[in-house]
Amino acid sequence: MLRFIQNWSSFHNMLNIPNQSFPAPSSQQRVSPSAQSGRNKVSLKPGHSLMDWIRFAKSGKDLTGLRGRLMEVTQDELQKHNKREDCWTCIRGMVYNVTPYMDYHPGGEEELMKAAGIDGTDLFDQVHRWVNYESMLKECLVGRMTTKSATASKAIILPLSPAAGLAPPAAGPPPPNKDSQPRYDWFQTDATVHLAVYTKRKISSSGCVTVDLKAGILRLEVLLGKLSYMIHLDLAHEVEENVSVHTAFSVGKIQVTINKQTRGKWTSLGQPLEFHNTFICKKNRGPFYRDCTLVSKMEVTHNTHVFRLQLPGGTVMHVAVGKHVYLKAIIEGTEIVRPYTPVDQNMVPVSSSSSHESYLYLMIKVYPDGVFTPYLNSLQMGENISVSGPEGTFSLRPLRDVTHLYLLAGGTGFTPMVRLISLALREVDTIRTTKLLFFNKQEEDILWRCQLDDLAANDERFQVEYILSEPSASWTGRKGRVDETLLNDLLLRPHGSKCYVCVCGPSAFTEQTLGLLKQLCFSEEECHAFKG
């Protein structure tokens, strides 16, 4: 017997749709090593911004066409809804009617139609990893996919009990060689507890450990290439909310020291929590957020600032070069998530980055008509913003033996280049030349120009070229946009050299640049694009 559910709110709660922000546990923001297809934004009609969509979705209109009911959707039923005026798609087992969203989608109608009537999870993960689709499309939720084969053209109204809530996608199996799985042990004094993790491999000195301690809950994540090892415990007794981390990189040992609140011996370390002692692919691990405090904001240009965020006292986190974090906020009742790449405090940091840094520096351009950046810019000193741990798949391995590093940045695509420049000049001896090609509209848009010029003047291994698309009459530097002639002139390949090119900027800039690099015979292995 079909069971009709009339109350949308109670049914939505019954589904127990996960409230975590995107990316979901089975995805991550991709940093692409090749010129694969990425997202290109299109010009939206007036009144069709993200904020307009949020307001439209909350208007009370029936965006599913089901009058508040939810369905269990068969494969056959999903396939019927594959037209512009009737478009359903499935993301991680849930089916959405995205027809009303067509005119609001930054990637345009064409991109959404690629997933029309089919499971669009893989397509979604390729280009939308940081979008909180569950919050954005919750009013478009049709129901969930059934595992049963279709026997009739009608979809079945979904009879669920509260216990049948949706669980996160199952984590992938551990690496085949179980002997390679990290292990942990602990020991203590009357005043301290020491947790030791043995990774069973050498680990990168660029930072791979994130520790969070709050209200007696310890969460430790170790990133080992594409894999993630986690310790998650409810500690046996009360402790002070501060930790210290010591890493022996060459032997792969990490030691975390915690101070007891009351002296004495513990009989156990604590009780295991969800995902304790697990070793899985990082992309299957959902992001974890902690509240960071805005402590300062420094103007870089007329519309760009460096936001300095202080980590909580119980958090130790170092974001490795090339990695990013997600910032999350609730704006007009909708959870919005954006990725940002931390920079150093200056182009030439006083000392090498430490895993014990207590601040994050984020260089962010504020868009007056945007959704997230005006909210961030409105924060007062001392207010909090949710920040994830390190994300992304950038690896330093391709830089081994590189002699010429070329960095092509468009606007705030400069941010991942900041720490790459520092690393290349300070830590990679083989790199003889690091050249930044910095594309902007106008001279006033150039970020950290004085610092870049000083660095170029004081280190012969670093060069910078500014290219403006809308220069003033007094501009004497290079003009125009990225094209084959310009790249052919500036990306030199001396005999016997080994080159590597990193690209970051607006989607259209990145895609065009990758195509041009391919025309200039740079291989996929020689190119890396930061996308997000």
Side-chain angles (χ1 to χ4, degrees):
M1 180 178 178
L2 300 182
R3 179 178 171 191
F4 290 81
I5 307 295
Q6 302 298 332
N7 188 311
W8 158 254
S9 296
S10 63
F11 192 79
H12 190 268
N13 293 333
M14 192 178 291
L15 278 176
N16 191 27
I17 295 174
N19 193 33
Q20 70 178 42
S21 71
F22 195 77
S26 62
S27 68
Q28 64 183 0
Q29 179 187 0
R30 173 168 297 177
V31 183
S32 171
S34 64
Q36 66 191 29
S37 176
R39 180 169 115 179
N40 287 311
K41 291 187 177 180
V42 300
S43 297
L44 299 174
K45 301 174 184 176
H48 286 77
S49 66
L50 172 58
M51 189 57 72
D52 290 319
W53 166 254
I54 291 173
R55 291 165 181 157
F56 177 65
K58 295 180 182 300
S59 66
K61 294 184 179 180
D62 179 12
L63 302 188
T64 65
L66 300 177
R67 299 180 180 178
R69 296 173 295 157
L70 292 181
M71 306 169 65
E72 186 171 87
V73 183
T74 64
Q75 189 69 37
D76 286 350
E77 181 67 22
L78 176 63
Q79 290 173 357
K80 294 177 185 177
H81 302 271
N82 62 357
K83 302 177 179 63
R84 166 64 178 83
E85 63 278 4
D86 179 20
C87 182
W88 290 8
T89 192
C90 176
I91 305 175
R92 263 179 280 286
M94 303 305 296
V95 178
Y96 298 89
N97 180 356
V98 295
T99 313
Y101 186 55
M102 284 284 180
D103 291 336
Y104 294 86
H105 185 236
E109 171 187 327
E110 181 180 354
E111 186 177 323
L112 274 184
M113 288 303 296
K114 292 177 182 177
I118 63 172
D119 189 321
T121 303
D122 288 342
L123 289 170
F124 183 89
D125 283 348
Q126 287 177 20
V127 291
H128 295 80
R129 282 173 172 74
W130 47 269
V131 176
N132 185 356
Y133 72 96
E134 292 159 333
S135 179
M136 293 286 295
L137 298 177
K138 63 184 178 182
E139 303 300 335
C140 298
L141 181 64
V142 172
R144 72 177 180 187
M145 289 294 297
T146 177
T147 56
K148 300 176 183 179
S149 59
T151 56
S153 59
K154 275 193 173 183
I156 304 171
I157 302 301
L158 179 62
L160 285 181
S161 67
L166 296 177
N177 181 8
K178 291 187 178 180
D179 290 339
S180 69
Q181 176 161 335
R183 68 177 183 87
Y184 77 97
D185 200 354
W186 70 287
F187 59 97
Q188 62 179 313
T189 68
D190 281 345
T192 58
V193 173
H194 306 271
L195 176 71
V197 175
Y198 304 93
T199 64
K200 302 182 181 180
R201 69 209 74 197
K202 292 182 179 180
I203 55 180
S204 170
S205 60
S206 61
C208 67
V209 183
T210 300
V211 181
D212 290 279
L213 177 60
K214 184 176 182 180
I217 303 299
L218 175 68
R219 184 186 186 277
L220 180 151
E221 183 176 8
V222 183
L223 299 182
L224 301 168
K226 296 180 180 180
L227 299 172
S228 164
Y229 178 67
M230 181 180 291
I231 299 295
H232 197 194
L233 291 164
D234 185 352
L235 296 176
H237 298 279
E238 293 183 347
V239 295
E240 296 178 7
E241 284 196 0
N242 57 72
V243 295
S244 61
V245 178
H246 301 279
T247 305
F249 301 103
S250 60
V251 297
K253 179 184 175 182
I254 300 159
Q255 183 169 308
V256 177
T257 299
I258 304 169
N259 296 316
K260 297 176 179 177
Q261 207 166 82
T262 304
R263 296 175 66 91
K265 294 296 184 182
W266 292 10
T267 57
S268 72
L269 185 57
Q271 294 297 315
L273 299 174
E274 187 178 24
F275 304 124
H276 172 66
N277 200 25
T278 55
F279 190 40
I280 63 175
C281 289
K282 171 59 179 174
K283 67 180 181 179
N284 293 331
R285 185 88 73 192
F288 178 82
Y289 289 86
R290 74 279 298 150
D291 286 337
C292 295
T293 304
L294 177 64
V295 293
S296 70
K297 184 172 65 175
M298 183 175 66
E299 184 176 287
V300 179
T301 68
H302 59 105
N303 59 8
T304 303
H305 300 80
V306 171
F307 295 81
R308 181 163 65 114
L309 304 178
Q310 184 170 29
L311 298 171
T315 295
V316 172
M317 180 173 77
H318 171 63
V319 183
V321 173
K323 304 291 186 180
H324 59 273
V325 296
Y326 294 106
L327 268 56
K328 179 177 71 172
I330 305 296
I331 301 175
E332 292 205 12
T334 297
E335 191 173 272
I336 306 295
V337 179
R338 291 289 185 269
Y340 296 104
T341 304
V343 298
D344 289 321
Q345 188 173 5
N346 297 289
M347 278 302 306
V348 184
V350 175
S351 61
S352 299
S353 295
S354 164
S355 60
H356 297 273
E357 290 281 352
S358 59
Y359 297 105
L360 285 177
Y361 297 89
L362 301 175
M363 185 182 292
I364 298 175
K365 180 178 179 179
V366 178
Y367 295 88
D369 56 348
V371 174
F372 194 88
T373 56
Y375 170 86
L376 183 63
N377 198 41
S378 71
L379 288 180
Q380 301 300 307
M381 299 304 120
E383 292 188 321
N384 293 338
I385 185 80
S386 293
V387 181
S388 80
E391 298 284 338
T393 59
F394 179 80
S395 172
L396 297 177
R397 289 181 181 178
L399 295 184
R400 294 174 181 173
D401 302 323
V402 164
T403 61
H404 289 68
L405 177 62
Y406 294 114
L407 309 174
L408 281 58
T412 50
F414 168 63
T415 55
M417 310 308 182
V418 172
R419 298 175 69 207
L420 266 175
I421 292 170
S422 177
L423 179 135
L425 297 180
R426 295 166 60 95
E427 300 182 31
V428 187
D429 295 335
T430 60
I431 298 178
R432 300 195 300 267
T433 298
T434 297
K435 181 183 288 188
L436 172 66
L437 276 57
F438 201 175
F439 296 83
N440 286 280
K441 286 185 177 181
Q442 299 176 341
E443 196 169 354
E444 63 181 5
D445 298 322
I446 300 174
L447 304 171
W448 276 359
R449 184 180 180 182
C450 290
Q451 294 195 45
L452 289 169
D453 288 343
D454 287 346
L455 187 59
N458 291 296
D459 194 323
E460 62 182 10
R461 294 172 302 151
F462 177 69
Q463 303 168 18
V464 59
E465 291 275 359
Y466 305 111
I467 303 99
L468 302 184
S469 60
E470 300 176 8
S472 65
S474 61
W475 176 253
T476 58
R478 290 185 179 269
K479 307 172 185 178
R481 301 176 185 275
V482 61
D483 59 31
E484 185 175 2
T485 301
L486 183 144
L487 295 186
N488 194 47
D489 289 344
L490 296 177
L491 303 187
L492 304 179
R493 307 189 71 168
H495 178 71
S497 64
K498 182 178 179 182
C499 300
Y500 198 70
V501 186
C502 292
V503 183
C504 189
S507 299
F509 168 85
T510 300
E511 295 304 319
Q512 182 181 0
T513 302
L514 290 173
L516 292 170
L517 291 171
K518 186 175 182 180
Q519 292 177 29
L520 293 174
C521 298
F522 283 90
S523 67
E524 292 185 0
E525 291 72 25
E526 294 176 310
C527 301
H528 184 96
F530 296 92
K531 295 184 178 182

